PDB file of all heavy atoms in Angstrom:
ATOM      1  N   GLU A 175      35.276  54.207 -11.841  1.00 40.00           N
ATOM      2  CA  GLU A 175      35.736  54.602 -13.167  1.00 40.00           C
ATOM      3  C   GLU A 175      34.877  54.001 -14.256  1.00 40.00           C
ATOM      4  O   GLU A 175      34.690  54.572 -15.305  1.00 40.00           O
ATOM      5  CB  GLU A 175      37.180  54.145 -13.375  1.00 40.00           C
ATOM      6  CG  GLU A 175      37.721  54.549 -14.728  1.00 40.00           C
ATOM      7  CD  GLU A 175      38.970  53.774 -15.062  1.00 40.00           C
ATOM      8  OE1 GLU A 175      39.249  52.758 -14.441  1.00 40.00           O
ATOM      9  OE2 GLU A 175      39.658  54.203 -15.985  1.00 40.00           O
ATOM     10  N   VAL A 176      34.416  52.832 -13.991  1.00 37.00           N
ATOM     11  CA  VAL A 176      33.784  52.115 -15.086  1.00 37.00           C
ATOM     12  C   VAL A 176      32.270  52.055 -15.015  1.00 37.00           C
ATOM     13  O   VAL A 176      31.630  51.632 -15.955  1.00 37.00           O
ATOM     14  CB  VAL A 176      34.341  50.683 -15.211  1.00 37.00           C
ATOM     15  CG1 VAL A 176      35.778  50.725 -15.691  1.00 37.00           C
ATOM     16  CG2 VAL A 176      34.202  49.940 -13.923  1.00 37.00           C
ATOM     17  N   ILE A 177      31.709  52.424 -13.908  1.00 37.00           N
ATOM     18  CA  ILE A 177      30.262  52.515 -13.913  1.00 37.00           C
ATOM     19  C   ILE A 177      29.850  53.867 -13.380  1.00 37.00           C
ATOM     20  O   ILE A 177      30.609  54.558 -12.735  1.00 37.00           O
ATOM     21  CB  ILE A 177      29.581  51.411 -13.070  1.00 37.00           C
ATOM     22  CG1 ILE A 177      30.001  51.499 -11.605  1.00 37.00           C
ATOM     23  CG2 ILE A 177      29.860  50.042 -13.630  1.00 37.00           C
ATOM     24  CD1 ILE A 177      29.172  50.598 -10.725  1.00 37.00           C
ATOM     25  N   VAL A 181      25.449  54.215  -9.456  1.00 41.00           N
ATOM     26  CA  VAL A 181      25.275  52.760  -9.393  1.00 41.00           C
ATOM     27  C   VAL A 181      26.200  52.197  -8.331  1.00 41.00           C
ATOM     28  O   VAL A 181      25.821  51.412  -7.480  1.00 41.00           O
ATOM     29  CB  VAL A 181      25.578  52.117 -10.761  1.00 41.00           C
ATOM     30  CG1 VAL A 181      25.613  50.592 -10.628  1.00 41.00           C
ATOM     31  CG2 VAL A 181      24.545  52.551 -11.787  1.00 41.00           C
ATOM     32  N   ARG A 185      24.883  50.449  -4.736  1.00 43.00           N
ATOM     33  CA  ARG A 185      25.048  49.042  -4.361  1.00 43.00           C
ATOM     34  C   ARG A 185      25.727  48.944  -2.999  1.00 43.00           C
ATOM     35  O   ARG A 185      25.339  48.174  -2.150  1.00 43.00           O
ATOM     36  CB  ARG A 185      25.852  48.296  -5.436  1.00 43.00           C
ATOM     37  CG  ARG A 185      25.655  46.793  -5.346  1.00 43.00           C
ATOM     38  CD  ARG A 185      26.205  46.060  -6.540  1.00 43.00           C
ATOM     39  NE  ARG A 185      25.984  44.618  -6.398  1.00 43.00           N
ATOM     40  CZ  ARG A 185      26.852  43.695  -6.795  1.00 43.00           C
ATOM     41  NH1 ARG A 185      27.972  44.043  -7.368  1.00 43.00           N
ATOM     42  NH2 ARG A 185      26.573  42.427  -6.650  1.00 43.00           N
ATOM     43  N   VAL A 191      23.059  49.322   4.572  1.00 40.00           N
ATOM     44  CA  VAL A 191      21.829  49.443   5.343  1.00 40.00           C
ATOM     45  C   VAL A 191      21.182  48.098   5.595  1.00 40.00           C
ATOM     46  O   VAL A 191      20.470  47.929   6.577  1.00 40.00           O
ATOM     47  CB  VAL A 191      20.805  50.402   4.688  1.00 40.00           C
ATOM     48  CG1 VAL A 191      21.328  51.818   4.685  1.00 40.00           C
ATOM     49  CG2 VAL A 191      20.456  49.968   3.280  1.00 40.00           C
ATOM     50  N   GLY A 193      22.234  45.918   5.992  1.00 39.00           N
ATOM     51  CA  GLY A 193      22.954  45.124   6.848  1.00 39.00           C
ATOM     52  C   GLY A 193      23.793  43.896   6.434  1.00 39.00           C
ATOM     53  O   GLY A 193      24.795  43.814   6.981  1.00 39.00           O
ATOM     54  N   GLY A 194      40.036  11.873  -7.209  1.00 29.00           N
ATOM     55  CA  GLY A 194      40.857  11.098  -7.506  1.00 29.00           C
ATOM     56  C   GLY A 194      42.318  10.913  -7.564  1.00 29.00           C
ATOM     57  O   GLY A 194      42.872  10.110  -6.961  1.00 29.00           O
ATOM     58  N   ALA A 195      42.868  11.869  -8.271  1.00 28.00           N
ATOM     59  CA  ALA A 195      44.328  11.654  -8.446  1.00 28.00           C
ATOM     60  C   ALA A 195      45.049  12.772  -7.742  1.00 28.00           C
ATOM     61  O   ALA A 195      44.677  13.931  -7.822  1.00 28.00           O
ATOM     62  CB  ALA A 195      44.707  11.620  -9.914  1.00 28.00           C
ATOM     63  N   SER A 204      53.420  22.555  -9.528  1.00 38.00           N
ATOM     64  CA  SER A 204      53.433  23.864  -8.887  1.00 38.00           C
ATOM     65  C   SER A 204      52.064  24.214  -8.335  1.00 38.00           C
ATOM     66  O   SER A 204      51.958  24.937  -7.362  1.00 38.00           O
ATOM     67  CB  SER A 204      53.917  24.956  -9.837  1.00 38.00           C
ATOM     68  OG  SER A 204      53.624  24.668 -11.140  1.00 38.00           O
ATOM     69  N   PRO A 217      54.853  38.202  -8.646  1.00 42.00           N
ATOM     70  CA  PRO A 217      54.475  39.595  -8.856  1.00 42.00           C
ATOM     71  C   PRO A 217      53.869  39.758 -10.243  1.00 42.00           C
ATOM     72  O   PRO A 217      54.314  39.131 -11.204  1.00 42.00           O
ATOM     73  CB  PRO A 217      55.791  40.354  -8.738  1.00 42.00           C
ATOM     74  CG  PRO A 217      56.671  39.456  -7.944  1.00 42.00           C
ATOM     75  CD  PRO A 217      56.254  38.065  -8.265  1.00 42.00           C
ATOM     76  N   PRO A 223      54.326  31.272 -15.686  1.00 51.00           N
ATOM     77  CA  PRO A 223      53.273  30.274 -15.837  1.00 51.00           C
ATOM     78  C   PRO A 223      53.471  29.131 -14.851  1.00 51.00           C
ATOM     79  O   PRO A 223      54.581  28.664 -14.639  1.00 51.00           O
ATOM     80  CB  PRO A 223      53.450  29.769 -17.270  1.00 51.00           C
ATOM     81  CG  PRO A 223      54.245  30.812 -17.944  1.00 51.00           C
ATOM     82  CD  PRO A 223      55.099  31.460 -16.893  1.00 51.00           C
ATOM     83  N   ALA A 224      52.409  28.698 -14.200  1.00 76.00           N
ATOM     84  CA  ALA A 224      52.523  27.605 -13.245  1.00 76.00           C
ATOM     85  C   ALA A 224      52.061  26.294 -13.851  1.00 76.00           C
ATOM     86  O   ALA A 224      52.301  25.261 -13.287  1.00 76.00           O
ATOM     87  CB  ALA A 224      51.713  27.908 -12.002  1.00 76.00           C
ATOM     88  N   PHE A 242      46.618  41.404 -17.067  1.00 97.00           N
ATOM     89  CA  PHE A 242      46.644  40.673 -15.794  1.00 97.00           C
ATOM     90  C   PHE A 242      46.462  41.619 -14.606  1.00 97.00           C
ATOM     91  O   PHE A 242      45.719  41.339 -13.666  1.00 97.00           O
ATOM     92  CB  PHE A 242      47.976  39.914 -15.687  1.00 97.00           C
ATOM     93  CG  PHE A 242      48.171  39.196 -14.394  1.00 97.00           C
ATOM     94  CD1 PHE A 242      47.620  37.942 -14.186  1.00 97.00           C
ATOM     95  CD2 PHE A 242      48.920  39.772 -13.369  1.00 97.00           C
ATOM     96  CE1 PHE A 242      47.798  37.278 -12.975  1.00 97.00           C
ATOM     97  CE2 PHE A 242      49.100  39.110 -12.163  1.00 97.00           C
ATOM     98  CZ  PHE A 242      48.536  37.866 -11.966  1.00 97.00           C
ATOM     99  N   ALA A 245      42.819  42.513 -14.127  1.00 98.00           N
ATOM    100  CA  ALA A 245      41.987  41.398 -13.647  1.00 98.00           C
ATOM    101  C   ALA A 245      42.290  41.007 -12.207  1.00 98.00           C
ATOM    102  O   ALA A 245      41.485  40.350 -11.555  1.00 98.00           O
ATOM    103  CB  ALA A 245      42.174  40.191 -14.567  1.00 98.00           C
ATOM    104  N   SER A 247      43.436  43.355  -9.813  1.00 98.00           N
ATOM    105  CA  SER A 247      43.400  44.488  -8.881  1.00 98.00           C
ATOM    106  C   SER A 247      42.041  45.188  -8.916  1.00 98.00           C
ATOM    107  O   SER A 247      41.845  46.187  -8.231  1.00 98.00           O
ATOM    108  CB  SER A 247      44.505  45.497  -9.202  1.00 98.00           C
ATOM    109  OG  SER A 247      44.327  46.013 -10.494  1.00 98.00           O
ATOM    110  N   TYR A 248      41.147  44.663  -9.674  1.00 98.00           N
ATOM    111  CA  TYR A 248      39.797  45.228  -9.778  1.00 98.00           C
ATOM    112  C   TYR A 248      38.837  44.079  -9.505  1.00 98.00           C
ATOM    113  O   TYR A 248      38.378  43.383 -10.413  1.00 98.00           O
ATOM    114  CB  TYR A 248      39.600  45.805 -11.187  1.00 98.00           C
ATOM    115  CG  TYR A 248      38.317  46.564 -11.354  1.00 98.00           C
ATOM    116  CD1 TYR A 248      38.259  47.930 -11.082  1.00 98.00           C
ATOM    117  CD2 TYR A 248      37.151  45.928 -11.778  1.00 98.00           C
ATOM    118  CE1 TYR A 248      37.074  48.623 -11.228  1.00 98.00           C
ATOM    119  CE2 TYR A 248      35.976  46.622 -11.927  1.00 98.00           C
ATOM    120  CZ  TYR A 248      35.940  47.963 -11.649  1.00 98.00           C
ATOM    121  OH  TYR A 248      34.755  48.653 -11.786  1.00 98.00           O
ATOM    122  N   GLU A 253      34.495  39.433   1.119  1.00 98.00           N
ATOM    123  CA  GLU A 253      35.096  38.904   2.348  1.00 98.00           C
ATOM    124  C   GLU A 253      36.357  39.693   2.709  1.00 98.00           C
ATOM    125  O   GLU A 253      36.813  39.675   3.849  1.00 98.00           O
ATOM    126  CB  GLU A 253      35.469  37.424   2.152  1.00 98.00           C
ATOM    127  CG  GLU A 253      34.285  36.462   2.177  1.00 98.00           C
ATOM    128  CD  GLU A 253      33.602  36.301   0.831  1.00 98.00           C
ATOM    129  OE1 GLU A 253      33.766  37.184  -0.042  1.00 98.00           O
ATOM    130  OE2 GLU A 253      32.891  35.292   0.654  1.00 98.00           O
ATOM    131  N   GLY A 255      36.667  43.054   1.798  1.00 96.00           N
ATOM    132  CA  GLY A 255      36.386  44.478   1.711  1.00 96.00           C
ATOM    133  C   GLY A 255      35.582  44.819   0.474  1.00 96.00           C
ATOM    134  O   GLY A 255      35.458  44.018  -0.447  1.00 96.00           O
ATOM    135  N   GLY A 257      36.029  47.722  -1.432  1.00 96.00           N
ATOM    136  CA  GLY A 257      36.739  48.466  -2.466  1.00 96.00           C
ATOM    137  C   GLY A 257      37.286  47.505  -3.504  1.00 96.00           C
ATOM    138  O   GLY A 257      37.622  46.361  -3.182  1.00 96.00           O
ATOM    139  N   MET A 297      42.910  17.010 -16.593  1.00 83.00           N
ATOM    140  CA  MET A 297      41.650  17.638 -16.997  1.00 83.00           C
ATOM    141  C   MET A 297      41.785  19.146 -17.206  1.00 83.00           C
ATOM    142  O   MET A 297      40.856  19.783 -17.682  1.00 83.00           O
ATOM    143  CB  MET A 297      40.593  17.399 -15.916  1.00 83.00           C
ATOM    144  CG  MET A 297      40.224  15.939 -15.714  1.00 83.00           C
ATOM    145  SD  MET A 297      39.386  15.711 -14.125  1.00 83.00           S
ATOM    146  CE  MET A 297      37.761  16.360 -14.489  1.00 83.00           C
ATOM    147  N   VAL A 318      41.940  28.836 -16.062  1.00 97.00           N
ATOM    148  CA  VAL A 318      42.421  27.451 -16.120  1.00 97.00           C
ATOM    149  C   VAL A 318      41.560  26.650 -15.146  1.00 97.00           C
ATOM    150  O   VAL A 318      41.412  27.046 -13.985  1.00 97.00           O
ATOM    151  CB  VAL A 318      43.902  27.342 -15.698  1.00 97.00           C
ATOM    152  CG1 VAL A 318      44.347  25.873 -15.744  1.00 97.00           C
ATOM    153  CG2 VAL A 318      44.789  28.198 -16.587  1.00 97.00           C
ATOM    154  N   TYR A 339      24.341  23.421  -4.527  1.00 99.00           N
ATOM    155  CA  TYR A 339      24.607  24.597  -3.688  1.00 99.00           C
ATOM    156  C   TYR A 339      26.106  24.671  -3.407  1.00 99.00           C
ATOM    157  O   TYR A 339      26.760  23.637  -3.221  1.00 99.00           O
ATOM    158  CB  TYR A 339      23.812  24.414  -2.393  1.00 99.00           C
ATOM    159  CG  TYR A 339      24.216  25.277  -1.233  1.00 99.00           C
ATOM    160  CD1 TYR A 339      23.644  26.527  -1.042  1.00 99.00           C
ATOM    161  CD2 TYR A 339      25.155  24.830  -0.295  1.00 99.00           C
ATOM    162  CE1 TYR A 339      24.002  27.316   0.042  1.00 99.00           C
ATOM    163  CE2 TYR A 339      25.513  25.614   0.790  1.00 99.00           C
ATOM    164  CZ  TYR A 339      24.929  26.852   0.948  1.00 99.00           C
ATOM    165  OH  TYR A 339      25.290  27.631   2.019  1.00 99.00           O
ATOM    166  N   VAL A 385      48.371  29.727 -11.119  1.00 94.00           N
ATOM    167  CA  VAL A 385      47.352  29.466 -10.094  1.00 94.00           C
ATOM    168  C   VAL A 385      46.546  30.723  -9.819  1.00 94.00           C
ATOM    169  O   VAL A 385      47.007  31.850 -10.030  1.00 94.00           O
ATOM    170  CB  VAL A 385      47.978  28.957  -8.779  1.00 94.00           C
ATOM    171  CG1 VAL A 385      48.623  27.617  -8.998  1.00 94.00           C
ATOM    172  CG2 VAL A 385      48.959  29.965  -8.230  1.00 94.00           C
ATOM    173  N   ILE A 413      30.045  21.810  -1.288  1.00 98.00           N
ATOM    174  CA  ILE A 413      29.156  21.528  -2.419  1.00 98.00           C
ATOM    175  C   ILE A 413      28.061  20.624  -1.871  1.00 98.00           C
ATOM    176  O   ILE A 413      28.348  19.590  -1.276  1.00 98.00           O
ATOM    177  CB  ILE A 413      29.908  20.801  -3.559  1.00 98.00           C
ATOM    178  CG1 ILE A 413      31.032  21.687  -4.117  1.00 98.00           C
ATOM    179  CG2 ILE A 413      28.943  20.379  -4.665  1.00 98.00           C
ATOM    180  CD1 ILE A 413      31.900  21.001  -5.189  1.00 98.00           C
ATOM    181  N   ASP A 443      16.414  45.267 -17.253  1.00 97.00           N
ATOM    182  CA  ASP A 443      17.287  46.165 -16.498  1.00 97.00           C
ATOM    183  C   ASP A 443      17.312  45.796 -15.022  1.00 97.00           C
ATOM    184  O   ASP A 443      16.347  45.258 -14.482  1.00 97.00           O
ATOM    185  CB  ASP A 443      16.806  47.613 -16.638  1.00 97.00           C
ATOM    186  CG  ASP A 443      17.165  48.179 -18.006  1.00 97.00           C
ATOM    187  OD1 ASP A 443      18.040  47.585 -18.676  1.00 97.00           O
ATOM    188  OD2 ASP A 443      16.572  49.188 -18.390  1.00 97.00           O
ATOM    189  N   ARG A 453      30.750  48.383 -19.616  1.00 97.00           N
ATOM    190  CA  ARG A 453      32.080  48.959 -19.859  1.00 97.00           C
ATOM    191  C   ARG A 453      33.087  47.830 -19.829  1.00 97.00           C
ATOM    192  O   ARG A 453      33.281  47.199 -18.795  1.00 97.00           O
ATOM    193  CB  ARG A 453      32.414  50.009 -18.804  1.00 97.00           C
ATOM    194  CG  ARG A 453      31.582  51.243 -19.007  1.00 97.00           C
ATOM    195  CD  ARG A 453      31.743  52.213 -17.851  1.00 97.00           C
ATOM    196  NE  ARG A 453      30.677  53.175 -17.926  1.00 97.00           N
ATOM    197  CZ  ARG A 453      30.812  54.411 -18.410  1.00 97.00           C
ATOM    198  NH1 ARG A 453      31.982  54.824 -18.831  1.00 97.00           N
ATOM    199  NH2 ARG A 453      29.787  55.223 -18.459  1.00 97.00           N
ATOM    200  N   TYR A 490      14.561  36.982 -13.473  1.00 95.00           N
ATOM    201  CA  TYR A 490      14.682  35.723 -12.717  1.00 95.00           C
ATOM    202  C   TYR A 490      15.840  35.795 -11.771  1.00 95.00           C
ATOM    203  O   TYR A 490      16.955  35.650 -12.156  1.00 95.00           O
ATOM    204  CB  TYR A 490      14.895  34.552 -13.660  1.00 95.00           C
ATOM    205  CG  TYR A 490      13.693  34.215 -14.499  1.00 95.00           C
ATOM    206  CD1 TYR A 490      13.652  34.613 -15.829  1.00 95.00           C
ATOM    207  CD2 TYR A 490      12.621  33.501 -13.971  1.00 95.00           C
ATOM    208  CE1 TYR A 490      12.546  34.303 -16.609  1.00 95.00           C
ATOM    209  CE2 TYR A 490      11.522  33.194 -14.761  1.00 95.00           C
ATOM    210  CZ  TYR A 490      11.496  33.601 -16.080  1.00 95.00           C
ATOM    211  OH  TYR A 490      10.413  33.298 -16.855  1.00 95.00           O
TER     212      TYR A 490
END
Side-chain angles (χ1 to χ4, degrees):
E175 181 196 16
V176 291
I177 61 170
V181 171
R185 199 169 180 217
V191 294
S204 29
F242 176 83
S247 61
Y248 187 89
E253 285 86 340
M297 296 163 76
V318 179
Y339 163 90
V385 295
I413 298 176
D443 285 343
R453 289 171 195 259
Y490 291 102

